[in-house]
Amino acid sequence: MQEVEKLKLLQTEREALKSRIKVKEQEKKAENHTETVCPECGSRQLVHDYERAELVCQSCGLVIDDDFIDRGPEWRAFDHDQRMKRSRVGAPMTFTIHDKGLSTMIDWRNRDSYGRAISSKNRAQLYRLRKWQRRIRVSNATERNLAFALSELDRMASALGLPRNVRETAAVVYRDAVDKNLIRGRSIEGVAAAALYAACRQCSVPRTLDEIAEVSRVSRKEIGRTYRFISRELGLKLLPTSPIDYVPRFCSGLTLKGEVQSRAVEILRQAGERELTSGRGPTGVAAAAIYISSILGGERRTQREVAEVAGVTEVTIRNRYKELAEKLDIEIIL
């Protein structure tokens, strides 16, 4: 019973820590709203010079404050190992874990903080503490839902090779859907996949519904239906995906130079100005622009190679590149 009381005390401390963090976030937001302005020229371009402890206006050079507090660490580190040894804080708060990474975790290794093996007499107590810690971390149905869904999100994002900011955005979208009770009557996997698709579009790291469906456990049709539902209910203002967003990934897959990529982006910009991209699949238009650019840049790639990387058919590329070449007066020598 003592172990249970200890863990309950830990839980109350964790909740108090969460509330303190919330208050600090609100204070930080309030500070950001009251931005400092240069009294001389009214500019907001201010530079903090931490060596001299001065706040300097970048436009006119006026020293606004010459005695501000350096909020950084008091120690210096010259490599990663020194930084990790001298740092006295834990991992940053993250939305990709159901408790935002604020709770503690009792390690599975039976060793203390000095690395010494724990005696057999205390191992039974440690086992009980570990068991109750696992139970307390996921205390109700909502946390259980979040724990499963966020691990599923992380799995799909890893399979697609998505960056950290997309994972955080997807976790925030899913949490908003849980808060508005949009999960009821829908599969957790479907909502998680739809949140990931929405996050990809928000962060301009586009992935097609087919690519999301490949790594998820639900069909493309269900992901699309759930995505439309949550975007409507949460009021997500997402513009149609631009073909330009696909160019760097496709060029990387085809090992094309930066010049070819720049030319493909320019072709797509001209096509957008003449409204040649509206009503057409962005992946097909991007693939056609890359195909034209590779021929013009002397790094010819076949239609089949481009089609395999872009995930479209060769017929689509042929139709799109003929339209672009005709409307933009591009002469292509095959």
Side-chain angles (χ1 to χ4, degrees):
M1 292 302 291
Q2 286 180 353
E3 289 89 351
V4 177
E5 286 173 7
K6 281 180 187 175
L7 288 167
K8 280 181 181 175
L9 186 65
L10 281 171
Q11 196 173 18
T12 52
E13 285 176 1
R14 185 180 73 179
E15 286 170 3
L17 181 63
K18 281 182 183 176
S19 62
R20 283 202 299 273
I21 287 170
K22 210 171 189 179
V23 170
K24 282 183 181 177
E25 283 176 356
Q26 288 171 353
E27 287 174 359
K28 200 172 183 181
K29 281 180 184 174
E31 281 177 14
N32 291 339
H33 284 308
T34 57
E35 266 189 300
T36 310
V37 181
C38 176
E40 190 71 26
C41 63
S43 172
R44 293 179 184 274
Q45 295 179 343
L46 309 176
V47 179
H48 291 83
D49 187 351
Y50 289 105
E51 287 185 7
R52 295 188 177 87
E54 292 176 351
L55 181 64
V56 184
C57 175
Q58 201 171 6
S59 300
C60 65
L62 179 74
V63 177
I64 298 162
D65 188 5
D66 60 353
D67 192 21
F68 68 87
I69 299 166
D70 183 1
R71 298 183 185 277
E74 81 285 359
W75 44 261
R76 292 191 302 167
F78 300 99
D79 57 22
H80 180 69
D81 290 338
Q82 280 187 5
R83 194 175 294 110
M84 294 303 290
K85 281 178 185 174
R86 293 176 184 180
S87 178
R88 296 187 294 274
V89 296
M93 192 177 74
T94 174
F95 289 102
T96 56
I97 303 172
H98 71 280
D99 53 11
K100 297 183 183 176
L102 296 175
S103 68
T104 54
M105 190 71 195
I106 300 175
D107 196 25
W108 59 271
R109 288 183 289 267
N110 290 320
R111 293 188 174 275
D112 61 11
S113 58
Y114 297 103
R116 294 182 300 227
I118 290 171
S119 63
S120 55
K121 188 169 65 177
N122 295 330
R123 278 184 192 176
Q125 184 187 10
L126 188 65
Y127 172 77
R128 285 196 301 276
L129 282 169
R130 201 179 283 132
K131 182 175 67 177
W132 280 104
Q133 174 68 7
R134 277 199 306 271
R135 290 179 183 177
I136 283 174
R137 271 192 87 192
V138 183
S139 55
N140 54 32
T142 307
E143 285 195 357
R144 211 163 26 248
N145 179 325
L146 274 175
F148 175 72
L150 295 175
S151 65
E152 184 71 8
L153 266 176
D154 200 49
R155 182 190 67 79
M156 290 189 289
S158 297
L160 290 168
L162 295 171
R164 190 80 201 164
N165 65 322
V166 177
R167 300 180 192 210
E168 293 284 344
T169 308
V172 170
V173 171
Y174 188 86
R175 284 172 184 274
D176 291 344
V178 170
D179 290 342
K180 291 204 171 184
N181 203 20
L182 305 180
I183 314 296
R184 189 177 293 278
R186 289 172 181 80
S187 68
I188 293 173
E189 292 95 337
V191 180
L196 188 63
Y197 178 66
C200 288
R201 291 186 60 172
Q202 277 185 334
C203 299
S204 299
V205 185
R207 294 291 185 273
T208 61
L209 278 172
D210 292 318
E211 287 176 302
I212 301 284
E214 274 179 21
V215 298
S216 70
R217 297 191 177 101
V218 288
S219 65
R220 180 186 187 278
K221 187 177 178 182
E222 187 181 342
I223 295 170
R225 187 168 60 236
T226 311
Y227 162 70
R228 285 190 294 274
F229 172 72
I230 65 169
S231 63
R232 185 174 65 247
E233 293 295 322
L234 296 177
L236 301 176
K237 306 291 182 187
L238 297 173
L239 296 170
T241 308
S242 171
I244 294 172
D245 293 336
Y246 289 98
V247 170
R249 185 156 61 96
F250 292 168
C251 285
S252 177
L254 292 164
T255 61
L256 292 169
K257 288 181 183 175
E259 296 167 7
V260 176
Q261 184 176 322
S262 303
R263 187 170 288 168
V265 170
E266 187 57 39
I267 290 169
L268 288 171
R269 282 212 182 96
Q270 291 175 13
E273 286 169 7
R274 299 193 187 187
E275 297 183 356
L276 301 176
T277 58
S278 57
R280 291 162 179 80
T283 50
V285 179
I290 290 167
Y291 176 66
I292 294 169
S293 178
S294 69
I295 294 169
L296 295 176
E299 291 191 43
R300 188 184 292 267
R301 295 290 184 273
T302 63
Q303 290 176 8
R304 179 176 290 180
E305 287 174 328
V306 179
E308 283 175 0
V309 170
V312 295
T313 61
E314 294 173 50
V315 178
T316 304
I317 292 177
R318 270 197 292 278
N319 292 337
R320 294 293 92 81
Y321 104 79
K322 283 175 185 175
E323 283 176 11
L324 291 174
E326 185 184 339
K327 302 285 184 183
L328 300 176
D329 296 326
I330 299 171
E331 189 179 347
I332 301 172
I333 300 169
L334 296 172

